[in-house]
Amino acid sequence: MQPIVIATWKFGELAARAALPLLTRGAAALDAALAGAQAVEDDPAVNSVGYGGLANRLGVVSLDACVMDGRTLDCGAVAGVENIRHVAALARLVMEKTPHLMLVGEGAKLFAVQHGFPLECLHTPESVATWQRRGLEKSTTHLTHDTVTVLALDQTGSLAGVCTTSGLSHKMPGRVGDSPIIGAGLYVDNAAGAAGGTGVGEEILRIAASSVMVESLRAGQTPQEACELAARRIVEVGKRRNVKPAQIAFIALDPRGNVGAACTAGTDFHFAVGRGDCVEMKQAVAIA
Ligand code: GLY
């Protein structure tokens, strides 16, 4: 089976370039997806994920992440974690070392320290300057929420996914979006496929988007159809609620290596696809 990795946004290219060589050498999907997500967590220039992520209203960087293994439906998540950079790896440890699926806040931080994660300041000079500048702006259009979601299919035909973010910039302290919620920001099942979302977490949560997409794959739809279904549902729910559809995008991957992506109109969503020895950027279909 030819392995494949897909990842959200332009910085998804970094994730795909980190994950693809591992998949090509025979790594498991979860190891490769995690390496891809971690490359983005480490990049200070990406201000919505990991180190250099934009802070909440109090100026605190608070991270969310989850992982899921499509072979077993094993999954783990962390939310509202401060001073820990590699929260996707921490989510994996929750999956592997605890009987639980999610740890939050101080409990997640304590668990991280117990397992040797260093406590770090996650601010960079640039992220502090951007946070201060944006805090003075009246408009909310600057609020960023660009999660990296990485989906991988390995040589054995197994799927896995990882999702990691600092969430909405200037979010209320304690606010958690879709990214660490299994079934919202991510869902993976080898028997059907893998799917993930990025964008305004509240609206992704409202429709349990990744679960919707994976169930659509299970029912025989293609990854492209599954992503368009979820994007259409976001638009329809926006109409029912009499609000402008939020900026949201979806990606999906099936066990045969077919990929799909869709976004709501105005989102301008690009994503990376890596297979063979090549990573290419693609633009998603927009649904109005
Ligand atoms: N999708 C990321 C968030 O809303 O937190």
Side-chain angles (χ1 to χ4, degrees):
M1 163 86 51
Q2 185 183 46
I4 178 165
V5 57
I6 61 175
T8 52
W9 301 109
K10 290 192 174 141
F11 49 68
E13 183 177 354
L14 181 62
R17 289 198 186 284
L20 191 57
L22 297 179
L23 289 170
T24 305
R25 290 201 294 272
L30 185 57
D31 292 331
L34 189 60
Q38 202 154 293
V40 182
E41 289 177 337
D42 281 337
D43 186 344
V46 179
N47 69 11
S48 52
V49 177
Y51 178 59
L54 285 179
N56 68 15
R57 283 184 201 175
L58 300 182
V60 175
V61 181
S62 164
L63 303 180
D64 304 331
C66 74
V67 303
M68 187 159 190
D69 187 334
R71 286 173 303 184
T72 53
L73 306 195
D74 280 338
C75 47
V78 293
V81 184
E82 298 169 16
N83 304 113
I84 302 290
R85 178 193 299 220
H86 292 143
V87 280
L90 185 60
R92 183 181 187 163
L93 269 192
V94 171
M95 175 181 98
E96 291 177 342
K97 304 266 188 220
T98 81
H100 309 302
L101 263 61
M102 178 180 262
L103 294 178
V104 304
E106 286 301 309
K109 191 200 270 191
L110 179 64
F111 178 71
V113 170
Q114 284 170 330
H115 286 84
F117 285 67
L119 289 175
E120 297 179 72
C121 171
L122 300 178
H123 294 298
T124 62
E126 294 74 23
S127 71
V128 172
T130 306
W131 178 82
Q132 285 176 327
R133 197 174 56 246
R134 291 183 177 179
L136 296 173
E137 292 168 1
K138 293 260 187 296
S139 159
T140 56
T141 54
H142 61 267
L143 297 176
T144 59
H145 38 71
D146 295 346
T147 307
V148 68
T149 302
V150 187
L151 307 178
L153 174 70
D154 66 26
Q155 286 180 0
T156 70
S158 193
L159 291 159
V162 176
C163 191
T164 176
T165 188
S166 54
L168 200 62
S169 79
H170 287 83
K171 63 192 178 186
M172 283 179 70
R175 178 267 187 190
V176 174
D178 61 302
S179 301
I181 308 297
I182 298 296
L186 181 72
Y187 200 78
V188 187
D189 181 349
N190 277 5
T198 175
V200 180
E202 285 71 9
E203 302 311 313
I204 298 174
L205 276 163
R206 200 183 302 285
I207 67 160
S210 293
S211 176
V212 164
M213 288 185 278
V214 171
E215 290 316 304
S216 145
L217 294 171
R218 201 186 305 280
Q221 292 202 290
T222 65
Q224 186 57 36
E225 288 168 336
C227 291
E228 290 183 21
L229 169 76
R232 249 193 332 274
R233 193 161 296 179
I234 294 284
V235 171
E236 285 161 11
V237 169
K239 285 182 184 150
R240 273 167 62 183
R241 294 171 51 76
N242 208 20
V243 294
K244 199 167 154 247
Q247 289 197 344
I248 287 175
F250 298 114
I251 56 173
L253 172 63
D254 75 13
R256 292 168 296 288
N258 300 306
V259 306
C263 60
T264 53
T267 304
D268 190 25
F269 176 63
H270 293 73
F271 63 106
V273 179
R275 75 175 108 208
D277 55 6
C278 169
V279 174
E280 54 179 346
M281 295 304 300
K282 293 182 182 283
Q283 185 166 15
V285 172
I287 306 291

